[in-house]
Amino acid sequence: MRFYDIISAAAVLVTGVAAAAKGSQPNLGYAELYKLTQQFYDTFQYPNNVKEAEKINSTIFAENVQGRVSDTRNFEGRELNTEYIFGLFIPTASVSVIGKPVGPYEIIQFAANQNIASATTRFNFTFPSFGNISLPIAITTWMTYNEAKEITQYDVVFRWFGNVLQLLLSTVDKDPVKAQAKGAAVLATSTCATHTQFCTGNNAQYESEEECIRFLTKDIRFGQSFELGMDTLLCRNVHEKMIHFRPDVHCAHIGKSGGGQCVDDYSYLQKVTEDYYTNAPWIPTTEQSPPYGDH
Ligand SMILES: *[C@@H]1O[C@H](CO)[C@@H](O)[C@H](O)[C@H]1NC(C)=O
Ligand SMILES: *[C@@H]1O[C@H](CO)[C@@H](O)[C@H](O)[C@H]1NC(C)=O
Ligand SMILES: *[C@@H]1O[C@H](CO)[C@@H](O)[C@H](O)[C@H]1NC(C)=O
C-alpha cells in the first residue's frame, strides 16, 4: 500500500468512527478535563480508593462504562469497575503482584479536547508482597466523559508492566527460574487460602486446598506479563483480590474454568483488531473542531 492510500484508508476509518457516535458529545473544555483527570487520580490514591470502593457503585463511572486494562481484559459497568479500579489496589491479607498506589503522582503528559482526555501519569506505588519495594509506575489513560462528567469509557495501559513484573520477581530470587517457582508457590498458596475462606457452597471451585494448589502450580502456566487475562496463575492471583467483594461473581475466575476471565480465548489478533468501544467516539465530534473532514 502506498503512503497516500494508507492516509485515505485512515480517513475513511476515522469518518466511520465519528459517524457511529450516538448523538453529540459534551464539550467540557481542557481545564475541566484536566481537573477530572486529577480527581480520578486523587481518588485512585490510597487510602482514598478504600472509601471509593466502599461505595460499590462509584459515580466516577457512568452506569454503562466500558473499560479496557492493558494485559488483562475489558470490564463493563459501574459495579465491576468500582471493584477493579479502586478495590483491586487496596492491600489485603493476600499475596499479590498488585501494588498499592501510595503516591505522590504527577501528570507528565496531557492533552484534551471536547469530552476526551489523555494523560500519562507517573504514580508512586509500593508492593506490600515484595518487601514494600517502592516503584514509580507509568499509567497512560484515554477517558471519555458524559454530560454528568462520569467516565463513559477508559483505555488504560500500565507502561512497561513486563519490566515491573521482572523487577518484582528478581527481589524473590536472582535466578529468574527459581524466582518464578518460588513466586508460583507463594501466589498459589495465597489464592487457595482465599478460596477456602470465601468460595464455599455453590461457589466452591476445588475439592480441597491441595487440589487447588496442585492445579495452580502444575496444571496451568504461571503466565507472562501480558497474560493477566489468560488461563494462568497470574490471572487468578489478580482475581483473588476481588473475591471478598462478591464471591458469587469472582470465585469462578480463580477456578479451573477461569470463569470467562482467566481463559485462553483472547488472542493477540483479537485484541488488536477488536472494535470494543460503542459509547462515544475517540475523535472529537463538535463542529468547530474536527481535525479531519471529507477529502
Ligand atoms: C450497584 O449497581 C447494580 C447495577 O445497577 C445494582 O444491581 C446493585 O444493587 C447496586 N449496588 C448497590 C449497593 O447499590
Ligand atoms: C509494609 O508497609 C506496611 C504499611 O506501612 C506495613 O504495615 C507492613 O508491615 C510492611 N510490610 C513489610 C514486609 O515490610
Ligand atoms: C517516589 O518514590 C521514589 C522511590 O522510592 C522516590 O525516590 C521519589 O522521591 C518518590 N516520588 C515522589 C514524587 O515523592
Side-chain angles (χ1 to χ4, degrees), residues 133-208:
I133 185 175
S134 169
L135 287 175
I137 302 291
I139 308 169
T140 292
T141 50
W142 283 81
M143 307 262 197
T144 57
Y145 290 87
N146 61 17
E147 293 282 356
K149 297 172 188 173
E150 299 164 342
I151 295 168
T152 55
Q153 300 172 151
Y154 69 82
D155 197 3
V156 50
V157 176
F158 285 84
R159 299 276 291 275
W160 307 300
F161 179 68
N163 294 52
V164 174
L165 184 62
Q166 187 188 50
L167 213 157
L168 292 177
L169 285 172
S170 74
T171 67
V172 175
D173 197 301
K174 284 196 184 63
D175 176 344
V177 175
K178 284 185 193 152
Q180 185 168 309
K182 285 183 190 171
V186 173
L187 296 182
T189 302
S190 171
T191 305
C192 295
T194 298
H195 175 268
T196 301
Q197 188 182 351
F198 293 100
C199 302
T200 53
N202 285 342
N203 296 327
Q205 310 292 317
Y206 302 99
E207 301 280 327
S208 66

Coordinates of all heavy atoms in Angstrom, one line a residue, residues 133-208:
I133 N 8.7 -2.8 48.4 CA 9.5 -2.1 47.5 C 8.7 -1.0 46.9 O 7.5 -1.1 46.7 CB 10.0 -3.1 46.4 CG1 11.0 -2.4 45.4 CG2 8.9 -3.7 45.6 CD1 11.6 -3.3 44.4
S134 N 9.4 0.2 46.7 CA 8.7 1.4 46.2 C 9.1 1.6 44.7 O 10.3 1.6 44.4 CB 9.1 2.5 47.0 OG 8.7 3.7 46.4
L135 N 8.1 1.7 43.8 CA 8.4 1.9 42.4 C 7.5 2.9 41.8 O 6.3 2.9 42.1 CB 8.2 0.6 41.6 CG 9.2 -0.6 41.8 CD1 8.6 -1.8 41.0 CD2 10.6 -0.2 41.3
P136 N 8.0 3.8 41.0 CA 7.1 4.6 40.2 C 6.5 3.8 39.0 O 7.3 3.0 38.4 CB 8.0 5.8 39.6 CG 9.4 5.2 39.7 CD 9.4 4.1 40.7
I137 N 5.2 4.0 38.8 CA 4.6 3.3 37.7 C 4.0 4.3 36.7 O 3.4 5.3 37.2 CB 3.4 2.4 38.3 CG1 3.9 1.4 39.3 CG2 2.6 1.7 37.2 CD1 4.8 0.3 38.8
A138 N 4.2 4.1 35.4 CA 3.7 5.0 34.4 C 2.4 4.4 33.9 O 2.3 3.3 33.5 CB 4.7 5.2 33.3
I139 N 1.3 5.2 34.0 CA 0.0 4.8 33.6 C -0.5 5.8 32.5 O -0.6 7.0 32.7 CB -1.0 4.8 34.8 CG1 -0.4 4.1 36.0 CG2 -2.4 4.3 34.4 CD1 -1.2 4.3 37.3
T140 N -0.8 5.2 31.3 CA -1.4 6.0 30.3 C -2.9 5.8 30.2 O -3.3 4.6 30.1 CB -0.7 5.7 28.9 OG1 0.7 6.2 29.1 CG2 -1.3 6.4 27.8
T141 N -3.7 6.8 30.2 CA -5.1 6.7 30.1 C -5.7 7.5 29.0 O -5.3 8.6 28.7 CB -5.8 7.1 31.4 OG1 -5.4 8.5 31.7 CG2 -5.6 6.2 32.5
W142 N -6.7 7.0 28.3 CA -7.7 7.7 27.5 C -9.0 7.6 28.2 O -9.4 6.5 28.6 CB -7.8 7.1 26.1 CG -6.6 7.4 25.2 CD1 -5.4 6.8 25.1 CD2 -6.6 8.4 24.1 NE1 -4.7 7.3 24.1 CE2 -5.4 8.3 23.5 CE3 -7.5 9.3 23.7 CZ2 -5.0 9.1 22.4 CZ3 -7.2 10.2 22.6 CH2 -5.9 10.0 22.0
M143 N -9.7 8.7 28.4 CA -11.0 8.6 29.0 C -12.0 9.5 28.2 O -11.6 10.5 27.6 CB -10.9 9.3 30.4 CG -9.9 8.8 31.3 SD -10.6 7.6 32.5 CE -9.3 7.6 33.7
T144 N -13.3 9.0 28.2 CA -14.3 9.9 27.6 C -15.3 10.1 28.8 O -15.5 9.2 29.6 CB -15.1 9.3 26.4 OG1 -15.6 8.0 26.8 CG2 -14.2 9.1 25.2
Y145 N -16.0 11.3 28.7 CA -16.9 11.7 29.8 C -18.3 12.0 29.2 O -18.3 12.5 28.0 CB -16.4 12.9 30.5 CG -15.2 12.6 31.4 CD1 -13.9 12.7 30.8 CD2 -15.3 12.3 32.7 CE1 -12.8 12.4 31.6 CE2 -14.2 12.0 33.5 CZ -12.9 12.1 33.0 OH -11.8 11.8 33.7
N146 N -19.3 11.9 30.0 CA -20.6 12.3 29.6 C -21.0 13.7 30.2 O -20.1 14.3 30.9 CB -21.7 11.2 29.9 CG -21.8 11.0 31.4 OD1 -21.3 11.8 32.2 ND2 -22.4 9.8 31.8
E147 N -22.2 14.2 29.9 CA -22.7 15.5 30.5 C -22.5 15.5 32.0 O -22.2 16.6 32.5 CB -24.1 15.7 30.2 CG -24.5 15.9 28.7 CD -24.2 17.2 28.2 OE1 -23.7 18.1 29.0 OE2 -24.3 17.4 27.0
A148 N -22.7 14.4 32.7 CA -22.7 14.4 34.1 C -21.2 14.3 34.6 O -21.0 14.1 35.8 CB -23.5 13.2 34.7
K149 N -20.3 14.3 33.7 CA -18.8 14.2 34.0 C -18.5 12.9 34.6 O -17.6 12.8 35.4 CB -18.4 15.4 34.9 CG -18.6 16.7 34.2 CD -18.3 17.9 35.1 CE -18.7 19.2 34.4 NZ -18.7 20.4 35.3
E150 N -19.2 11.9 34.2 CA -18.9 10.5 34.5 C -18.1 9.9 33.4 O -18.3 10.2 32.2 CB -20.2 9.7 34.7 CG -21.1 10.2 35.8 CD -22.5 9.6 35.7 OE1 -22.9 9.0 34.7 OE2 -23.2 9.6 36.7
I151 N -17.2 9.0 33.8 CA -16.4 8.3 32.7 C -17.3 7.3 32.0 O -17.8 6.4 32.6 CB -15.2 7.6 33.4 CG1 -14.2 8.6 34.0 CG2 -14.4 6.7 32.4 CD1 -13.2 8.0 34.9
T152 N -17.4 7.5 30.7 CA -18.2 6.5 29.9 C -17.3 5.4 29.3 O -17.8 4.4 28.9 CB -18.9 7.2 28.8 OG1 -18.0 8.0 28.0 CG2 -20.0 8.2 29.3
Q153 N -16.0 5.8 29.1 CA -15.0 4.8 28.5 C -13.7 5.1 29.1 O -13.3 6.3 29.3 CB -15.0 4.9 27.0 CG -16.3 4.7 26.3 CD -16.2 5.0 24.8 OE1 -16.9 4.4 24.1 NE2 -15.4 5.9 24.4
Y154 N -12.9 4.1 29.3 CA -11.4 4.3 29.5 C -10.6 3.2 28.9 O -11.1 2.1 28.7 CB -11.1 4.4 31.1 CG -11.3 3.1 31.8 CD1 -10.3 2.1 31.8 CD2 -12.5 2.7 32.5 CE1 -10.4 0.9 32.4 CE2 -12.6 1.5 33.1 CZ -11.6 0.6 33.1 OH -11.7 -0.6 33.7
D155 N -9.4 3.6 28.5 CA -8.5 2.7 27.9 C -7.2 2.9 28.7 O -6.6 4.0 28.6 CB -8.3 3.0 26.4 CG -7.7 1.9 25.7 OD1 -7.4 0.8 26.3 OD2 -7.4 2.0 24.5
V156 N -6.7 2.0 29.5 CA -5.6 2.2 30.3 C -4.5 1.3 30.1 O -4.7 0.1 29.9 CB -6.0 2.3 31.9 CG1 -6.7 1.0 32.3 CG2 -4.7 2.4 32.7
V157 N -3.3 1.8 30.0 CA -2.1 1.0 29.8 C -1.1 1.2 30.9 O -0.7 2.3 31.2 CB -1.4 1.4 28.5 CG1 -0.1 0.6 28.3 CG2 -2.3 1.2 27.3
F158 N -0.8 0.1 31.6 CA 0.3 0.2 32.6 C 1.6 0.0 31.8 O 1.9 -1.1 31.3 CB 0.1 -0.9 33.7 CG -1.0 -0.6 34.6 CD1 -2.3 -0.8 34.3 CD2 -0.7 0.1 35.8 CE1 -3.3 -0.5 35.2 CE2 -1.7 0.4 36.7 CZ -3.0 0.2 36.4
R159 N 2.3 1.1 31.7 CA 3.5 1.0 30.8 C 4.6 0.1 31.3 O 4.9 0.1 32.5 CB 4.1 2.4 30.6 CG 3.1 3.4 30.0 CD 3.1 3.4 28.5 NE 4.4 3.9 28.0 CZ 4.6 5.2 27.8 NH1 3.7 6.1 28.1 NH2 5.8 5.6 27.2
W160 N 5.2 -0.6 30.5 CA 6.4 -1.5 30.8 C 6.1 -2.4 32.0 O 6.9 -2.7 32.8 CB 7.6 -0.6 31.2 CG 7.9 0.4 30.1 CD1 8.3 0.1 28.8 CD2 7.9 1.8 30.2 NE1 8.5 1.3 28.1 CE2 8.3 2.3 28.9 CE3 7.7 2.7 31.2 CZ2 8.4 3.7 28.7 CZ3 7.8 4.1 31.0 CH2 8.1 4.6 29.7
F161 N 4.8 -3.0 32.0 CA 4.5 -3.8 33.1 C 5.4 -5.1 33.1 O 5.6 -5.6 34.2 CB 3.0 -4.2 33.0 CG 2.6 -5.2 34.1 CD1 2.6 -4.7 35.4 CD2 2.3 -6.5 33.8 CE1 2.2 -5.6 36.5 CE2 2.0 -7.4 34.9 CZ 2.0 -6.9 36.2
G162 N 5.8 -5.6 31.9 CA 6.7 -6.7 31.9 C 8.0 -6.4 32.7 O 8.5 -7.3 33.5
N163 N 8.5 -5.2 32.6 CA 9.7 -4.8 33.4 C 9.4 -4.8 34.9 O 10.2 -5.2 35.7 CB 10.1 -3.4 33.0 CG 10.6 -3.3 31.6 OD1 9.9 -3.7 30.7 ND2 11.8 -2.7 31.4
V164 N 8.2 -4.3 35.2 CA 7.8 -4.2 36.6 C 7.7 -5.6 37.2 O 8.3 -5.9 38.3 CB 6.4 -3.5 36.8 CG1 5.9 -3.6 38.2 CG2 6.5 -2.1 36.3
L165 N 7.1 -6.6 36.5 CA 7.0 -7.9 37.0 C 8.3 -8.6 37.1 O 8.6 -9.2 38.2 CB 6.1 -8.7 36.0 CG 5.8 -10.2 36.4 CD1 5.0 -10.2 37.8 CD2 4.9 -10.9 35.4
Q166 N 9.2 -8.4 36.2 CA 10.5 -9.0 36.2 C 11.3 -8.4 37.4 O 12.0 -9.1 38.2 CB 11.3 -8.6 34.9 CG 12.6 -9.3 34.8 CD 13.4 -8.8 33.6 OE1 13.5 -7.5 33.4 NE2 13.9 -9.7 32.8
L167 N 11.1 -7.1 37.6 CA 11.8 -6.5 38.8 C 11.3 -7.0 40.1 O 12.1 -7.3 41.0 CB 11.6 -5.0 38.7 CG 12.7 -4.0 39.2 CD1 12.5 -2.7 38.5 CD2 12.6 -3.9 40.6
L168 N 10.0 -7.2 40.2 CA 9.4 -7.7 41.5 C 9.9 -9.1 41.7 O 10.3 -9.4 42.8 CB 7.9 -7.7 41.4 CG 7.2 -6.3 41.3 CD1 5.7 -6.5 41.2 CD2 7.5 -5.5 42.6
L169 N 9.9 -9.9 40.7 CA 10.3 -11.3 40.9 C 11.8 -11.4 41.2 O 12.2 -12.3 41.9 CB 10.0 -12.2 39.6 CG 8.5 -12.5 39.5 CD1 8.2 -13.2 38.1 CD2 8.0 -13.4 40.6
S170 N 12.6 -10.5 40.7 CA 14.0 -10.5 41.0 C 14.3 -10.2 42.4 O 15.4 -10.6 42.9 CB 14.8 -9.5 40.1 OG 14.5 -8.2 40.5
T171 N 13.3 -9.7 43.1 CA 13.5 -9.5 44.6 C 13.3 -10.8 45.4 O 13.7 -10.9 46.5 CB 12.6 -8.4 45.2 OG1 11.2 -8.9 45.1 CG2 12.7 -7.1 44.4
V172 N 12.7 -11.8 44.7 CA 12.4 -13.1 45.3 C 13.7 -14.0 45.2 O 14.0 -14.7 46.1 CB 11.2 -13.8 44.6 CG1 11.0 -15.2 45.2 CG2 10.0 -12.9 44.9
D173 N 14.3 -14.0 44.0 CA 15.5 -14.7 43.8 C 16.2 -14.2 42.5 O 15.5 -13.8 41.6 CB 15.1 -16.2 43.5 CG 16.3 -17.1 43.7 OD1 17.3 -16.9 42.9 OD2 16.3 -18.0 44.5
K174 N 17.5 -14.1 42.6 CA 18.2 -13.5 41.4 C 18.1 -14.4 40.2 O 18.1 -13.9 39.1 CB 19.7 -13.3 41.8 CG 19.9 -12.1 42.7 CD 21.4 -11.8 42.7 CE 21.6 -10.6 43.7 NZ 21.3 -10.9 45.1
D175 N 17.9 -15.7 40.4 CA 17.7 -16.6 39.3 C 16.3 -16.6 38.8 O 15.4 -16.9 39.6 CB 18.1 -18.1 39.7 CG 17.9 -19.1 38.7 OD1 17.1 -18.8 37.7 OD2 18.4 -20.2 38.8
P176 N 16.0 -16.2 37.6 CA 14.6 -16.0 37.2 C 13.7 -17.3 37.2 O 12.5 -17.2 37.5 CB 14.7 -15.4 35.8 CG 16.1 -15.5 35.4 CD 16.9 -15.7 36.6
V177 N 14.4 -18.4 37.0 CA 13.6 -19.7 37.0 C 13.2 -20.0 38.5 O 12.1 -20.3 38.7 CB 14.4 -20.8 36.4 CG1 13.7 -22.2 36.5 CG2 14.7 -20.5 34.9
K178 N 14.2 -19.8 39.4 CA 13.9 -20.1 40.8 C 12.9 -19.1 41.3 O 12.0 -19.4 42.1 CB 15.1 -20.0 41.6 CG 16.0 -21.2 41.5 CD 17.2 -21.1 42.5 CE 18.3 -22.2 42.1 NZ 19.6 -21.7 42.6
A179 N 13.0 -17.8 40.9 CA 12.1 -16.8 41.3 C 10.7 -17.1 40.9 O 9.8 -16.9 41.7 CB 12.5 -15.4 40.7
Q180 N 10.5 -17.6 39.7 CA 9.2 -17.9 39.2 C 8.6 -19.1 40.0 O 7.4 -19.1 40.4 CB 9.2 -18.2 37.7 CG 7.7 -18.4 37.2 CD 7.7 -18.4 35.7 OE1 8.2 -17.5 35.1 NE2 7.1 -19.4 35.1
A181 N 9.4 -20.1 40.3 CA 8.9 -21.3 41.0 C 8.6 -20.9 42.4 O 7.5 -21.3 42.9 CB 10.0 -22.3 41.0
K182 N 9.4 -20.1 43.1 CA 9.1 -19.6 44.4 C 7.8 -18.7 44.4 O 6.9 -18.9 45.3 CB 10.2 -18.8 45.0 CG 11.4 -19.6 45.5 CD 12.5 -18.7 46.1 CE 13.8 -19.4 46.3 NZ 14.9 -18.5 46.7
G183 N 7.8 -17.8 43.4 CA 6.6 -17.0 43.3 C 5.3 -17.8 43.1 O 4.3 -17.5 43.7
A184 N 5.4 -18.8 42.2 CA 4.2 -19.6 42.0 C 3.7 -20.3 43.2 O 2.5 -20.3 43.5 CB 4.5 -20.7 40.9
A185 N 4.6 -20.8 44.0 CA 4.2 -21.5 45.3 C 3.5 -20.5 46.2 O 2.4 -20.8 46.8 CB 5.4 -22.1 45.9
V186 N 4.1 -19.3 46.4 CA 3.5 -18.4 47.3 C 2.2 -17.8 46.8 O 1.2 -17.7 47.6 CB 4.5 -17.2 47.5 CG1 3.9 -16.1 48.4 CG2 5.8 -17.7 48.2
L187 N 2.1 -17.5 45.5 CA 0.8 -16.9 45.0 C -0.3 -18.0 45.0 O -1.4 -17.7 45.3 CB 1.0 -16.4 43.5 CG 2.0 -15.3 43.3 CD1 2.1 -14.9 41.9 CD2 1.6 -14.1 44.2
A188 N 0.1 -19.2 44.7 CA -0.9 -20.3 44.7 C -1.4 -20.5 46.1 O -2.6 -20.7 46.3 CB -0.4 -21.6 44.1
T189 N -0.5 -20.6 47.1 CA -0.9 -20.8 48.5 C -1.9 -19.7 48.9 O -2.9 -20.0 49.5 CB 0.3 -20.8 49.4 OG1 1.2 -21.8 48.9 CG2 0.0 -21.0 50.8
S190 N -1.6 -18.5 48.6 CA -2.5 -17.3 48.9 C -3.8 -17.5 48.3 O -4.9 -17.3 48.9 CB -1.8 -16.0 48.6 OG -2.7 -15.0 48.7
T191 N -3.8 -17.7 47.0 CA -5.1 -17.8 46.2 C -5.9 -18.9 46.7 O -7.2 -18.8 46.9 CB -4.8 -18.0 44.7 OG1 -3.9 -17.0 44.3 CG2 -6.0 -18.0 43.9
C192 N -5.3 -20.1 47.1 CA -6.1 -21.2 47.6 C -6.6 -21.0 49.0 O -7.7 -21.4 49.3 CB -5.2 -22.5 47.5 SG -4.9 -22.9 45.7
A193 N -5.9 -20.2 49.8 CA -6.4 -19.9 51.1 C -7.6 -19.0 51.0 O -8.6 -19.2 51.8 CB -5.3 -19.2 52.0
T194 N -7.5 -18.1 50.1 CA -8.7 -17.2 49.8 C -9.9 -18.0 49.4 O -11.0 -17.8 49.8 CB -8.3 -16.1 48.8 OG1 -7.3 -15.3 49.3 CG2 -9.5 -15.2 48.5
H195 N -9.6 -19.0 48.5 CA -10.7 -19.9 48.0 C -11.3 -20.6 49.2 O -12.5 -20.6 49.3 CB -10.1 -20.9 47.0 CG -11.1 -21.9 46.6 ND1 -11.3 -23.1 47.2 CD2 -12.0 -21.8 45.6 CE1 -12.3 -23.8 46.6 NE2 -12.7 -23.0 45.6
T196 N -10.5 -21.2 50.1 CA -11.0 -21.9 51.2 C -11.9 -21.0 52.1 O -13.0 -21.4 52.6 CB -9.9 -22.5 52.1 OG1 -9.1 -23.3 51.2 CG2 -10.4 -23.3 53.3
Q197 N -11.5 -19.7 52.3 CA -12.2 -18.8 53.1 C -13.5 -18.3 52.5 O -14.5 -18.3 53.2 CB -11.3 -17.6 53.5 CG -11.9 -16.7 54.5 CD -11.0 -15.5 54.8 OE1 -9.9 -15.4 54.4 NE2 -11.6 -14.6 55.6
F198 N -13.5 -18.0 51.2 CA -14.6 -17.3 50.7 C -15.5 -18.1 49.7 O -16.6 -17.8 49.5 CB -14.2 -16.0 50.0 CG -13.7 -15.0 50.9 CD1 -12.3 -14.8 51.0 CD2 -14.5 -14.1 51.6 CE1 -11.8 -13.8 51.9 CE2 -14.0 -13.2 52.5 CZ -12.7 -13.0 52.6
C199 N -14.8 -19.1 49.0 CA -15.6 -19.8 47.9 C -16.1 -21.1 48.5 O -15.6 -22.2 48.2 CB -14.6 -20.0 46.7 SG -13.9 -18.5 46.1
T200 N -17.2 -21.0 49.2 CA -17.8 -22.1 49.8 C -19.2 -22.5 49.2 O -19.7 -21.7 48.4 CB -18.0 -21.9 51.4 OG1 -18.8 -20.6 51.5 CG2 -16.7 -21.7 52.1
G201 N -19.7 -23.6 49.5 CA -21.0 -24.0 49.0 C -21.0 -24.0 47.5 O -20.1 -24.6 46.8
N202 N -22.0 -23.4 46.9 CA -22.1 -23.4 45.4 C -20.9 -22.6 44.7 O -20.7 -22.8 43.5 CB -23.4 -22.7 45.0 CG -24.6 -23.6 45.2 OD1 -24.4 -24.8 45.4 ND2 -25.8 -23.0 45.2
N203 N -20.2 -21.8 45.5 CA -19.1 -21.0 44.9 C -17.8 -21.8 44.9 O -16.8 -21.3 44.3 CB -18.9 -19.7 45.6 CG -20.2 -18.8 45.5 OD1 -20.8 -18.8 44.5 ND2 -20.5 -18.0 46.6
A204 N -17.8 -22.9 45.5 CA -16.5 -23.7 45.6 C -16.1 -24.2 44.2 O -16.9 -24.6 43.4 CB -16.7 -24.9 46.5
Q205 N -14.8 -24.1 44.0 CA -14.2 -24.4 42.7 C -13.3 -25.6 42.7 O -13.0 -26.3 41.7 CB -13.3 -23.2 42.1 CG -14.0 -21.9 42.1 CD -15.2 -21.8 41.2 OE1 -15.1 -22.3 40.0 NE2 -16.3 -21.3 41.6
Y206 N -12.8 -25.9 44.0 CA -11.9 -27.1 44.2 C -12.4 -27.9 45.3 O -13.1 -27.4 46.2 CB -10.5 -26.6 44.5 CG -9.9 -25.7 43.4 CD1 -9.9 -24.3 43.5 CD2 -9.3 -26.2 42.3 CE1 -9.4 -23.4 42.6 CE2 -8.8 -25.4 41.3 CZ -8.8 -24.0 41.4 OH -8.3 -23.2 40.4
E207 N -12.0 -29.2 45.3 CA -12.4 -30.1 46.4 C -11.7 -29.8 47.7 O -12.2 -30.0 48.7 CB -12.1 -31.5 46.0 CG -12.8 -32.0 44.7 CD -14.2 -32.5 45.0 OE1 -14.5 -33.0 46.1 OE2 -15.1 -32.3 44.0
S208 N -10.4 -29.3 47.5 CA -9.6 -29.1 48.7 C -8.5 -28.1 48.3 O -8.3 -27.8 47.2 CB -8.9 -30.4 49.1 OG -8.0 -30.8 48.0

